[in-house]
Amino acid sequence: MIHSLFLINNAGDIFLEKHWKSVISRSVCDYFFEAQEKAMEPDNVPPVIRTPHHYLINIYRDKIFFVSVIQTEVPPLFVIEFLHRVAEMFQDYFGDCSEVAIKDNVVIVYELLEEMLDNGFPLATESNILKELIKPPTILRSMVNSITGSSNVGETLPTGQLSTVPWRRAGVKYTNNEAYFDVVEEIDAILDKSGTTVFAEIQGVIDACVKLSGMPDLTLSFMNPRLLDDVSFHPCVRFKRWESERVLSFIPPDGNFRLMSYHVNAQNLVAIPVYVRQNISFFESGSSGRLDITLGPKQTMGKTVECVVVTVHMPKVVLNANLTATQGNYTYDPVTKILVWDIGKLNQQKLPNLKGSLSLQSGAPKPEENPSLNIDLKIQQLAISGLKVNRLDMYGEKYKPFKGVKYVTKVFR
Amino acid sequence: ETNKLYCTSVKCCIFELKAELNSDKKEKKKEAVKKVIASMTVGKDVSALFPDVVNCMQTDNLELKKLVYLYLMNYAKSQPDMAIMAVNTFVKDCEDPNPLIRALAVRTMGCIRVDKITEYLCEPLRKCLKDEDPYVRKTAAVCVAKLHDINAQLVEDQGFLDTLKDLISDSNPMVVANAVAALSEISESHPNCNLLDLNPQSINKLLTALNECTEWGQIFILDCLANYTPRDDRESQSICERVTPRLSHANSAVVLSAVKVLMKFMEMLPKDLDYYGTLLKKLAPPLVTLLSAEPELQYVALRNINLIVQKRPEILKHEMKVFFVKYNDPIYVKLEKLDIMIRLASQANIAQVLAELKEYATEVDVDFVRKAVRAIGRCAIKVEQSAERCVSTLLDLIQTKVNYVVQEAIVVIKDIFRKYPNKYESVIATLCENLDSLDEPEARAAMIWIVGEYAERIDNADELLESFLEGFHDESTQVSETHTHTHLQHVLHKHTQNTPDSDNPDLRDRGYIYWRLLSTDPVAAKEVVLAEKPLISEETDLIEPTLLEELICHIGSLASVYHKPPNAFVEGSRGVQHKRLPARTASGESAESPDAGQSVGGVSDAPPAVIPSQGDLLGDLLNLDLAPPSASVPVVPASMQMGVDLLGGGLDSLVGLHRPSGSQYIAVGLAGGTGGMPAGLGGTPAMGGGLGDLFDLGGGVGMATGSYVPPKAVWLPAMKAKGLEISGTFARRGGGIHMDLSLTNNAMSIMTDFAIQFNRNSFGLAPAGPLQVLTPLAQNQTIDVSLPLNTNGPIMKMEPLNNLQVAVKNNIDVFYFSCQYPISLLFVEDGKMDRQVFLATWKDIPSENETQYQIKDFHLNSDAASTKLQGSNVFTVAKRTVDAQDLLYQSIKLTNGIWALAELRIQSITPNYMLALKCRAPEVSQYICQCYELLLRN
């Protein structure tokens, strides 16, 4: 199982180490540094590195490398999932997962790591349980602690660890009982020149923020559950009921969690919310070219398209761009050859247009390919797949909760 | 100030901390311990404070207790005597009314890797394993694994393993999961005891626990389930049905472990079953979903998908698009996606794939671009209909003049030429234009090959080759090999033009040229021989099927990331069982033959003809504790009976010494009795040694024949074996094989209880009886023993072929060494072939299997040579004299029925012999030639 963990910053300093079995010298990280050097970019460091006696499995999160050392055959996904869980836990506890935050809370970090793994076996990795065992640092608590002499370690047995709902702690109490669900969808689509969809898929998630007292048993149903054929659930969801009735039935964890994620990739179901008319051409002579891009909304169910940004990767020979935008601002970076047009909200009446000339390096041959356009956007109050929550029912508790559902569609790369 | 511990601790000196730790104030103490922990965390040495910190342990404050425990775990190893002071508190805490404290105490104790402490751990641990509180039980289960890691013997003696096995039927799913996890970890380092004894009842319990335990527990249970072999298809289906819901889990490791179980058990389902189709359909979406996770997870998923598409391409055949590369993918994801794209490429989607690949070839990352260009070539080779389009795409890329793109394109065009000869030669002109820009060995080699192959169609081929020749001496071997070969081809082409009667260069002629080359310049000859590359196949990098099957059983593991069986690289796992996919067993059949699908360890029998490759080495356990090995050891691979792991650690190093990279997984049909083996294996390791090795034979090879037995060589020096020195040699006497050993005791005490065992080897050599050392070996005493051998042992191809790995045990320890036997040891007495048969066989063996050797500086005449060789069962079938040359035709038969035919050319004018060997198993030729040389010289 997981033997040791080293946290390493971008400068290559090992600023924290934790060993769950015998101590492994930090010199083992030299193999990691070697790989890091070879990879050039931090993102490109291979996740599994083989050394003569160990394996180093690492992730790169928030400018920190989480490097774990293993000695026996362990599923790498298991390790990677765990490391992500550690990073999330730091985020959860300290507000951000940075070197400064970790160093400021080094003892809590150490206590957390000790609770999360025992001999390399995961012990408590649910935020709810951990918070019961080790209280997150707050200014108020450290003040109270210093006066009363009490500590931030829980005195009780983490009851959740033993129940069949290990993700929920017992005895939760709120004065305002509320449950919010965010349906967030991201479109990933490739269109060809004529606007025909080459490839399109929707990645959706339902993130929940549930603050309900006691042991509520929730049932969430959809207007059109058939849309969802490729789903993955939080462990709290009863899979049998989903299979038979297509409803999500679950006892929620306390606080924020991801209820489910899903994937829609049947081409006909993916409606592309905008259309683009573009014409970028380069002239045979005169070292120049023309650019003309117009964007318009389509299939937005009456919702406004916001935060629209168009990015164009220009060919290397394009020196500069002299353009006029009817809406928003554009910038062209001659070094990276990236043209960014920040449009903002999409106006139904007056379609935004960017037009003008491109100057090319003199004497260079005319670029063959048309540059590709990349469009980012966001639509509030709409799940582009058409997914709609029908109703949320609560059983097991008597009070009446406040319920809310929010939809967002995003296109981001 | 609590939040600034890190900063202050660096400044804090040990002295101040010591004072604070001994303070009366609780709060101050706690802060001090926190500072100590903070220093420890950043790697500062605070072990000097050990007694002061341990003093803080007896406290009611849970946080303080935990902090002290943290400290103890870190430093107990370096301060074992001090750590003993903490034992009492631990034992007391294990009786605490609060289960959290009980669990914490037993957990911490297990983490203290000090022998003295572990002794005290046994009693508390035994109680905790039976604790009424499941939280304590599940913690104790893990503690058994910890203890086993420190002292395996103790765990066995105390009976903890049985208690752990009982916990599999615990009422609490978390306890079950932890027990499974602990048992799996223990069995990994301890493969001989069948810890996870899986039967339908225990499987049912695991499946029930699977639904209720944590995500991590699910991984352990699924991985454990994957080791089970269902009795029949019905059981297999019912397990699959209960595992399928796991495919929707948010934790990708759970998903992949579930995929493993399904991929394995699916093998047992009849293909016409409706459920089989349903299952196939269910596997695709979760695999696709894995590709939208974090890049690190994607990478592991892709490595596994790579295996899955090789085993069952139908699952993802419609999902090509998800493997298209995104511009912000990390490079390691990009490269993997590319690989899978090629595997999924078919006539139906090739246009789309090529368009993508062409895009990739214009990206910035050099490695990625190179691989994309290579991928285009692989498409051409895989999908014949696309070849023309691929070639034109490659030509477009060559026009870009980007140096590395051009070079890579030329390399793949060469492969396309090899696959589709005489089809696309029209592009040669374009290639020749780029001659000057080629500066990489592989590209130069490719270009030279093309020029040579199509010499007659290139007007200035001579000039082109000349231009390459200028740099000949600076070239890497790869280029010069091809170069020499091409020159030869060129000469041959010229030659055929002069003699228009023959369409093909006559084989004899070619051989003659080789021979001429050989007699003038052996080094060049070596290069020529090596330059003969195998024909290009449909898909060059498919994983060998038995390995693929094994890897499918290891989906989700490190093995699946490296595409190698786990024992090939994981250090801790000595003797991992080899896993095979289960054979299909219908429910009806199994009633009659209950053991059909139930061989030991859930492994089904493999066909006996398949010889396990060297990868099996670590898995192979030589059981020295058994009485003399029986004469009828089955040839069935591994037979999967795990004995005592004696060879375990020792073989690690042995293997490291003798394993050539790359070729260890080629399973070769060397099986005895059949009298032949598949010829023409790509890149046989025997060739690797080449002729070069032939001339500097190591002195370590002990040579022995019927008449001549060479002096014993030291195989195991005394300093490596705690005073035991072993020297020995091999001899063939009276039709039997003997290993003659001298054992010398250089130690200070007497040695007793000798036993010997061989690892599996190429010809199945095994001791035919026990090692007869009847009296104890006193100090400075030497004893000679002759160990009769037979060839009925298990078989595995070794490298070199005649390598033998031996384990010798005595009362002190087990020692390992390896030695090499002359292959003449295996020449049998009835090896004389009839003349007619000889002639027919010689003609029948393809000329690729012919190898030529030169034996220098001999002055024996042919009759003397013939007599000498006859003594070692090399039989002269016929003799011919042509132009002052004596030609001896000789036959040899090996113990496993392989025949080797030889033509020995003895010239009276030069002192050199020429030996031409023909054998259906050309791997052995090299070794036979070595024997010729040794037999003749002695």
Side-chain angles (χ1 to χ4, degrees), chain B residues 445-752:
Chain B
M447 195 63 218
I448 295 172
W449 186 89
I450 293 171
V451 172
E453 196 71 17
Y454 293 93
E456 68 271 44
R457 288 186 211 142
I458 305 172
D459 300 334
N460 57 345
D462 285 352
E463 280 168 45
L464 294 176
L465 284 175
E466 283 306 316
S467 72
F468 277 111
L469 198 63
E470 281 163 24
F472 184 77
H473 289 290
D474 306 328
E475 300 281 16
S476 68
T477 47
Q478 187 188 12
V479 182
S480 31
E481 274 165 21
T482 324
H483 213 149
T484 323
H485 182 70
T486 304
H487 257 278
L488 207 66
Q489 259 185 345
H490 197 58
V491 172
L492 286 172
H493 277 301
K494 288 268 153 87
H495 185 70
T496 43
Q497 278 157 17
N498 294 342
T499 52
D501 289 355
S502 62
D503 301 314
N504 244 336
D506 180 14
L507 285 173
R508 271 282 158 211
D509 270 357
R510 181 161 140 198
Y512 209 73
I513 288 167
Y514 274 14
W515 171 77
R516 243 178 19 202
L517 208 63
L518 202 65
S519 52
T520 51
D521 184 359
V523 180
K526 174 185 174 185
E527 281 158 3
V528 174
V529 174
L530 285 180
E532 294 219 56
K533 300 227 159 62
L535 270 179
I536 197 138
S537 66
E538 283 290 301
E539 256 185 282
T540 41
D541 56 347
L542 279 179
I543 294 175
E544 189 264 324
T546 44
L547 177 61
L548 181 62
E549 289 219 339
E550 187 175 355
L551 290 176
I552 289 289
C553 300
H554 287 288
I555 282 177
S557 70
L558 277 173
S560 72
V561 173
Y562 282 97
H563 292 183
K564 286 178 185 161
N567 49 14
F569 61 95
V570 174
E571 202 176 57
S573 64
R574 300 170 290 259
V576 170
Q577 291 195 1
H578 271 249
K579 295 178 183 173
R580 295 275 152 76
L581 290 176
R584 224 183 64 61
T585 318
S587 39
E589 294 163 29
S590 74
E592 293 145 37
S593 52
D595 54 353
Q598 269 189 323
S599 46
V600 185
V603 183
S604 64
D605 293 346
V610 180
I611 297 177
S613 62
Q614 206 157 21
D616 279 356
L617 205 51
L618 295 182
D620 185 34
L621 298 160
L622 304 188
N623 193 339
L624 281 180
D625 284 355
L626 290 181
S630 62
S632 58
V633 182
V635 187
V636 179
S639 62
M640 304 306 165
Q641 298 278 7
M642 290 303 158
V644 177
D645 180 11
L646 282 176
L647 271 186
L651 270 189
D652 279 348
S653 55
L654 273 180
V655 172
L657 282 173
H658 294 290
R659 176 179 295 163
S661 57
S663 58
Q664 64 264 49
Y665 300 114
I666 306 170
V668 181
L670 259 176
T674 50
M677 53 195 284
L681 281 158
T684 49
M687 292 297 276
L691 286 179
D693 293 354
L694 217 125
F695 301 111
D696 50 56
L697 276 173
V701 183
M703 277 295 167
T705 61
S707 52
Y708 174 77
V709 179
K712 285 174 181 168
V714 176
W715 284 337
L716 182 72
M719 53 185 288
K720 277 195 180 164
K722 302 185 178 166
L724 175 67
E725 185 185 282
I726 299 178
S727 53
T729 185
F730 293 94
R732 192 173 179 94
R733 285 193 290 267
I737 307 169
H738 296 267
M739 187 184 200
D740 294 337
L741 295 165
S742 291
L743 309 174
T744 310
N745 181 354
N746 291 333
M748 301 306 284
S749 56
I750 56 162
M751 292 177 179
T752 55

Side-chain angles (χ1 to χ4, degrees), chain B residues 31-51:
Chain B
E31 284 312 307
V33 176
K34 274 194 179 177
K35 283 180 195 168
V36 173
I37 301 284
S39 308
M40 181 180 89
T41 321
V42 295
K44 214 175 146 193
D45 183 16
V46 284
S47 59
L49 296 167
F50 201 92

